[in-house]
Amino acid sequence: MSFLMNFFTFLVKVLTLPVQLIEAVGLYGIYKRVFPFLMYRVSATYNKKMHDKKRDLFSSLPEFNKPGGGPLNILEIGCGTGTNFPFYPSGCKITCTDPNPHFQKFLQKSVADNDHLTFERFVVASGEDMGSIEDESVDAVVSTLVLCTVNNVSQTLREAHRILRPGGAFYFMEHVLADPSSWTYFFQHVLQPAWYYFGDGCVLTRATWEDLEAAGFSEIKLRHIEAPLTFMIKPHIIGYAIK
Ligand SMILES: C[S@@+](CC[C@H](N)C(=O)[O-])C[C@H]1O[C@@H](n2cnc3c(N)ncnc32)[C@H](O)[C@@H]1O
Ligand SMILES: *[C@@H]1O[C@H](CO)[C@@H](O)[C@H](O)[C@H]1NC(C)=O
């Protein structure tokens, strides 16, 4: 099984040689402009299929409002098109970060469509380094389909933990590595070399729950589910971790 898997993974890698060449000569940057259009469509479909799960997950956000009152402060990392805004409680304040500035146009549209929340600002930054956001300054940090793409998951979680106030929560909904005895696991590995380029650096084979467990949160509510999506991204983890 493992020999077959490595063989087919190698084949797919060979097939991606032209794309690797495009990256080597520095032309892959063009895809950073195209990807937001793709993500705009993909996230609409994702939201339809995951609607109830997102609604249930984010319904607990108000519990993390500061004891003294005031609006709930949310920081979203890798915000993309602002696809989670409809699920946030009325009156909350949102700051967004994403390393790709070409998402801004879509983000603005989502801001206009969701006037139940107050949009603070969009910061062009990667999850690993959000230095312009103060320590312990937000009640909740949100990451959906982002930990699959960041360069360093533990560094990103360290940043999220730094920015959260004590008692605040890190919300996540992420596709993850499948059970090693499954065909999904096999195909996640075989297709990874191609998926990486078309998914803007997305990795199918991350055991992200392990990084979450090691990130120093005091309590983690985490569920493994099979999402109603394409088989490679069916295995999901959903939940929140409290600082
Ligand atoms: C699959 S999209 C998900 C977008 C959005 N969160 C959603 O749920 O639709 C992945 C996002 O992660 C962003 N991203 C890529 N590298 C990142 C990094 N190092 N830190 C934070 N976000 C990153 C991408 O620009 C993109 O917006
Ligand atoms: C990822 O970040 C962690 C925490 O900051 C660091 O210890 C580790 O060396 C980083 N890993 C890589 C591959 O850069």
Side-chain angles (χ1 to χ4, degrees), residues 46 50-64 84 87-89 140-145 169-174 221-223 225 236-241:
Y46 185 87
M50 300 293 276
H51 181 272
D52 293 358
K53 293 183 176 66
K54 273 198 179 179
R55 187 197 53 203
D56 293 350
L57 173 67
F58 292 130
S59 68
S60 61
L61 271 171
E63 288 170 27
F64 295 98
N84 293 323
F87 300 93
Y88 293 157
V141 173
V142 173
S143 159
T144 63
L145 307 179
F170 176 76
Y171 277 75
F172 53 89
M173 185 177 275
E174 301 280 349
K221 302 237 189 236
L222 183 151
R223 282 194 308 136
I225 65 149
H236 261 62
I237 52 168
I238 297 184
Y240 57 86

Side-chain angles (χ1 to χ4, degrees), residues 12-26 28 193 197:
V12 173
K13 217 175 250 173
V14 171
L15 289 173
T16 61
L17 274 175
V19 197
Q20 290 181 42
L21 196 67
I22 286 171
E23 189 187 33
V25 298
Y28 185 73
Y197 290 105

